Amino acid sequence: DAGITQSPRHKVTETGTPVTLRCHQTENHRYMYWYRQDPGHGLRLIHYSYGVKDTDKGEVSDGYSVSRSKTEDFLLTLESATSSQTSVYFCAISEGGAATAQYFGPGTRLTVT
Amino acid sequence: TQLLEQSPQFLSIQEGENLTVYCNSSSVFSSLQWYRQEPGEGPVLLVTVVTGGEVKKLKRLTFQFGDARKDSSLHITAAQPGDTGLYLCAGVGNSGYALNFGKGTSLLVTP
């Protein structure tokens, strides 16, 4: 299995609070991705990174920001959490971009009350 | 966004039956990937199809990429309870950096 960890694995937070999710990889892959998965919507891309300090928006980026200061870490921040951001968040990595295999982390279940 | 439509959305069958799930789009994809996701876990890549008309086999799973590279199918022969999961297809989006995922087919195989 690819070495990807996500932390925390579960979190409950209140509306309006900031939240940061961490993705850590030990594979030295260049590309990293954040997705959210919701019933009826499937997996949707939030942000992705194609190198250290190189990031771009995905399909559902509003309300989210990311940072990648090291190859191994990709952080997803919800500046002011809303109930619509209750979801399961997955981090993924790939060696050569989208056309190559993506390896997913175990997910973080976030509940915003 | 290049949409991928998967059908059926849900499928419940008994062990030993055969099934086919579909992934369709109006857009051409350079390649398509199939993933399986089990409850509480992240998706795991099963196969990538690249060439139009390509057929790939993975034990009891057969994957086909349409000639026009707009659609793909997954056929499972003699399904087993261990095949239970969410099957997702994904194609490279216009950015070239990220995948667009279909909503998935949720398969339940009962003994």
Side-chain angles (χ1 to χ4, degrees), chain B residues 20-40:
Chain B
T20 302
V21 298
Y22 301 92
C23 174
N24 296 302
S25 177
S26 59
S27 302
V28 174
F29 287 91
S30 57
S31 64
L32 281 179
Q33 300 175 15
W34 284 92
Y35 291 79
R36 180 169 69 205
Q37 183 179 20
E38 299 188 17

Side-chain angles (χ1 to χ4, degrees), chain B residues 9-66:
Chain B
Q9 188 176 0
F10 299 101
L11 191 56
S12 180
I13 62 172
Q14 291 199 315
E15 183 175 4
E17 293 184 22
N18 302 330
L19 67 117
T20 302
V21 298
Y22 301 92
C23 174
N24 296 302
S25 177
S26 59
S27 302
V28 174
F29 287 91
S30 57
S31 64
L32 281 179
Q33 300 175 15
W34 284 92
Y35 291 79
R36 180 169 69 205
Q37 183 179 20
E38 299 188 17
E41 299 182 8
V44 175
L45 180 69
L46 295 173
V47 77
T48 301
V49 286
V50 179
T51 306
E54 181 178 7
V55 176
K56 280 192 174 180
K57 292 192 175 184
L58 186 66
K59 297 183 179 179
R60 294 176 293 99
L61 279 59
T62 301
F63 303 85
Q64 187 162 8
F65 199 14

Side-chain angles (χ1 to χ4, degrees), chain A residues 33 37 40 45 48 98 101-102, chain B residues 33 35 37 42 45 97-99 103:
Chain A
Y33 310 84
Q37 188 172 36
L45 182 67
Y48 63 95
Q102 291 198 5
Chain B
Q33 300 175 15
Y35 291 79
Q37 183 179 20
L45 180 69
Y97 289 120
L99 287 174
K103 294 180 181 179

Side-chain angles (χ1 to χ4, degrees), chain A residues 9 30-31 33 35 37 40-43 45 48 50 56 59 90 94 97-107, chain B residues 1 9 30-31 33 35 37 40-45 48 86 88 92-93 95-104:
Chain A
R9 293 293 315 278
R30 178 182 174 188
Y31 297 86
Y33 310 84
Y35 294 89
Q37 188 172 36
H41 291 280
L43 276 164
L45 182 67
Y48 63 95
Y50 47 97
D56 205 350
E59 179 187 357
F90 287 99
S94 72
T100 58
Q102 291 198 5
Y103 300 95
F104 285 79
Chain B
T1 301
Q9 188 176 0
S30 57
S31 64
Q33 300 175 15
Y35 291 79
Q37 183 179 20
E41 299 182 8
V44 175
L45 180 69
T48 301
L86 179 67
L88 297 159
V92 178
S95 71
Y97 289 120
L99 287 174
N100 293 330
F101 280 85
K103 294 180 181 179

